[in-house]
Amino acid sequence: MKQQIQIIAIVVVLIVVGVGAAVYKHVKLGFPFFPGDKERAWTVEATISFVADGGPVEVSVNRPDRSDTMVVLEKKSVTPGYVVSKKRGRAVWKGEDKHGPQKMFLRSTTYRRSGDEAAAHGKIKYPEAPVFNGPHELAADGIVSAAQGEKTSGEVVARAILKALNDPMNNNASLLLADADAYGGRVPLACGLMARAGVKARTLKGLNLDEAKRKQKLKSYIEVEDGSGFKLFNPRTAELENRDAFLAWQQNGESILEIVGGSGGEITFSVIADEIAAQKAAVQHGKYTGHVLIDFSIYSLPIAQQNTFKLLLLIPIGALIIVILRNLVGIETSGTFMPILIALVFLQVNLLAGLSLFVIIVGIGLILRYYLTSLNLLLVPRISAVLVFVILIYVAVSVVSIRMGIEAGLMVTFFPMIIIAWTIERMSVLWEEEGPKDVLIQGGGSLFSASMVYLVMRNRVVGHLTYSFPELLLVVLAAIIMIGSYSGYRLTELRRFEPLAGGE
């Protein structure tokens, strides 16, 4: 009873950890559960134009910011002749002896991402309410009091303030707008009134990515935080904007472009929409942000090693299939994990060619092994001789197949020769001790099991889940442990003992 409790506890822990880690990667990092999932992405290119004075040049551009809805995958410069560096959220170009018109480019890839609001925003600094004096104070109080009339949400108050500022018949608004430059401009003035009303608001400049066109300019918006989340207002219309397609590039009056050693600076933006694989987007985003699950994972390995692990991570799935077929169904195989190795070969070739080659190699090998029986050789020399036979069979099958124009025969080298040699030896001993029937049962069971493992391994969803969520192998381990504790009848034994059940 104590052992059963331990098994149940281990199984529960493995499932909770494995599933929990997979769900975390899906929700927080955006890893898809299905291989065909796509993400809508945008490539945004900022073009900076200016005229160099003839000496050293330093250009600093504010870089785009990620939010709870938009994730920036990469930011790179494609400007030759300049040394590029990153400094406090800005891209900095430095060059020597630059003359005349200059152009440089900052290209960013971004995609829509929801559900990461707290991590994206962190602690936001909202501007404080400006000091209004004299008639301006009375005008500000009049606008704020009218907006707060119903004591409703921050969204409603913010909209009311913007509507007041956009109303040419509102005397209080006209008085304040006449001196808007004293408060930083029309949009900062609106944010100041919202702060005076107790609403958390800040100015943003950015791009509406759905407006995929060339030579865009940054537009000013106001982001308001209230109990239901973040809302983006268009200060020109007092209407809500779609935050799911908004890329913020400037916050609270940050400097967008600074040029030393040049004049006539101008920055324009071009946007191109596209679709990328959700898996690729999640990995690139994780690498860009330096997430520990990406930095210390299979994705940090070179591509060649990643491809190797793609195959290795499928082996536990094959082991689970073999455990099910042997312990629950009752299928006999030649060797415990030989079908898994054969299934791996089938992945390199194809099922029909793999089955044909296996039958040919083992069939010829059994005939040659039968001849060795008459020589009464010792075990190790006999197996070594079988290994030599297997290699000669490989050569013969390859040569004959290529002469016949059948290229599939060249794939015979994918079969692990040591495993094939041991399989021939086992089947030969089984033939001598039990007869050909048991050889056919185990051989057929091995090929059937290898075929089932192959069909599962080649499934795109299975391959994607094992590679993207290797922690789910803990769930596979839990299933193997559960099956390992089962000691009841197998499916094939139910038919065997059926007469006994009928007798009762």
Side-chain angles (χ1 to χ4, degrees):
M1 187 65 182
K2 183 178 179 181
Q3 189 178 35
Q4 291 180 346
I5 295 176
Q6 290 181 358
I7 291 176
I8 293 173
I10 291 174
V11 167
V12 170
V13 170
L14 290 175
I15 293 176
V16 169
V17 173
V19 174
V23 171
Y24 175 84
K25 288 176 68 175
H26 174 70
V27 174
K28 304 299 283 187
L29 298 181
F31 279 78
F33 283 129
F34 297 98
D37 288 355
K38 299 285 187 180
E39 292 284 357
R40 183 170 176 79
W42 294 267
T43 298
V44 183
E45 185 175 80
T47 303
I48 301 98
S49 305
F50 68 98
V51 178
D53 295 339
V57 172
E58 179 175 326
V59 179
S60 174
V61 176
N62 195 42
R63 295 191 297 167
D65 301 305
R66 71 189 184 106
S67 67
D68 57 304
T69 57
M70 300 302 299
V71 169
V72 180
L73 297 181
E74 59 181 351
K75 307 169 186 173
K76 62 181 181 181
S77 169
V78 287
T79 305
Y82 284 85
V83 177
V84 186
S85 61
K86 300 176 183 178
K87 183 178 180 181
R88 296 180 181 178
R90 302 179 69 87
V92 180
W93 290 268
K94 292 183 179 181
E96 300 293 334
D97 299 326
K98 299 298 179 180
H99 302 266
Q102 303 287 312
K103 274 194 176 183
M104 49 190 56
F105 305 90
L106 177 64
R107 186 174 296 166
S108 302
T109 302
T110 183
Y111 79 103
R112 183 176 293 134
R113 176 91 167 88
S114 299
D116 199 16
E117 187 167 317
H121 278 80
K123 293 183 178 179
I124 299 175
K125 293 182 178 179
Y126 293 102
E128 298 180 357
V131 177
F132 297 97
N133 296 312
H136 284 187
E137 183 176 10
L138 295 176
D141 288 340
I143 294 176
V144 169
S145 298
Q148 290 179 321
E150 299 180 3
K151 300 287 185 180
T152 52
S153 66
E155 176 186 346
V156 175
V157 174
R159 180 182 279 108
I161 291 175
L162 289 176
K163 285 183 176 180
L165 291 176
N166 289 324
D167 183 4
M169 304 302 294
N170 190 309
N171 295 327
N172 290 329
S174 299
L175 178 62
L176 291 174
L177 291 174
D179 292 324
D181 292 341
Y183 304 104
R186 184 188 187 98
V187 177
L189 171 63
C191 279
L193 291 173
M194 293 177 192
R196 191 176 183 88
V199 177
K200 295 180 178 179
R202 61 173 177 165
T203 60
L204 292 178
K205 281 190 176 182
L207 301 170
N208 184 348
L209 299 178
D210 284 339
E211 297 178 0
K213 59 183 181 181
R214 300 180 61 189
K215 295 186 177 180
Q216 293 189 58
K217 296 284 188 177
L218 296 181
K219 294 182 180 179
S220 297
Y221 297 87
I222 296 177
E223 187 180 61
V224 173
E225 180 183 359
D226 63 6
S228 59
F230 294 88
K231 304 294 172 60
L232 188 69
F233 280 96
N234 185 333
R236 297 165 292 279
T237 63
E239 297 298 330
L240 287 175
E241 293 285 332
N242 179 20
R243 295 183 69 252
D244 290 342
F246 177 75
L247 178 63
W249 207 291
Q250 186 181 20
Q251 304 179 23
N252 292 327
E254 295 172 328
S255 172
I256 185 65
L257 176 63
E258 296 177 357
I259 300 176
V260 178
S263 59
E266 181 184 15
I267 181 168
T268 59
F269 301 86
S270 299
V271 180
I272 299 177
D274 198 0
E275 283 191 344
I276 60 175
Q279 169 79 5
K280 179 181 178 181
V283 173
Q284 288 185 351
H285 177 228
K287 288 181 177 179
Y288 180 77
T289 56
H291 199 285
V292 66
L293 287 182
I294 301 297
D295 287 344
F296 295 91
S297 71
I298 188 174
Y299 305 104
S300 63
L301 300 176
I303 298 299
Q305 279 66 38
Q306 288 190 37
N307 289 328
T308 300
F309 275 100
K310 275 187 179 180
L311 191 61
L312 292 180
L313 289 171
L314 290 172
I315 292 179
I317 304 298
L320 175 61
I321 302 301
I322 295 300
V323 168
I324 293 174
L325 293 177
R326 285 179 63 99
N327 289 65
L328 298 184
V329 180
I331 294 177
E332 297 183 29
T333 62
S334 178
T336 304
F337 298 113
M338 188 271 286
I340 299 178
L341 299 176
I342 301 302
L344 293 176
V345 176
F346 291 169
L347 289 175
Q348 305 300 320
V349 294
N350 61 68
L351 184 58
L352 183 60
L355 290 172
S356 301
L357 290 173
F358 182 83
V359 172
I360 291 173
I361 297 169
V362 174
I364 297 175
L366 284 174
I367 294 174
L368 297 175
R369 170 62 177 76
Y370 177 75
Y371 171 73
L372 293 178
T373 302
S374 61
L375 302 180
N376 293 322
L377 300 179
L378 297 177
L379 176 63
V380 175
R382 186 172 70 239
I383 295 177
S384 300
V386 172
L387 178 61
V388 175
F389 284 152
V390 168
I391 296 175
L392 293 176
I393 294 170
Y394 282 10
V395 174
V397 170
S398 299
V399 173
V400 171
S401 63
I402 199 64
R403 296 298 296 176
M404 296 177 63
I406 305 174
E407 295 184 3
L410 300 176
M411 300 177 182
V412 69
T413 54
F414 283 105
F415 286 91
M417 58 190 68
I418 303 297
I419 301 300
I420 293 296
W422 270 106
T423 299
I424 293 172
E425 176 67 19
R426 284 200 201 94
M427 288 187 173
S428 179
V429 173
L430 183 64
W431 190 305
E432 295 172 358
E433 296 178 353
E434 304 294 339
K437 180 180 178 181
D438 285 348
V439 172
L440 292 176
I441 291 175
Q442 288 195 12
S446 297
L447 290 180
F448 174 79
S449 300
S451 300
M452 293 297 100
V453 172
Y454 161 78
L455 292 175
V456 174
M457 282 184 170
R458 73 186 296 268
N459 184 276
R460 286 187 65 210
V461 175
V462 173
H464 170 76
L465 290 176
T466 55
Y467 180 66
S468 301
F469 303 94
E471 54 274 0
L472 289 178
L473 294 182
L474 295 176
V475 180
V476 173
L477 177 59
I480 292 174
I481 292 176
M482 283 193 297
I483 297 174
S485 63
Y486 175 74
S487 58
Y489 290 116
R490 301 169 182 174
L491 292 179
T492 54
E493 293 175 337
L494 294 178
R495 182 177 180 83
R496 176 184 173 189
F497 292 105
E498 186 177 0
L500 296 178
E504 295 178 357

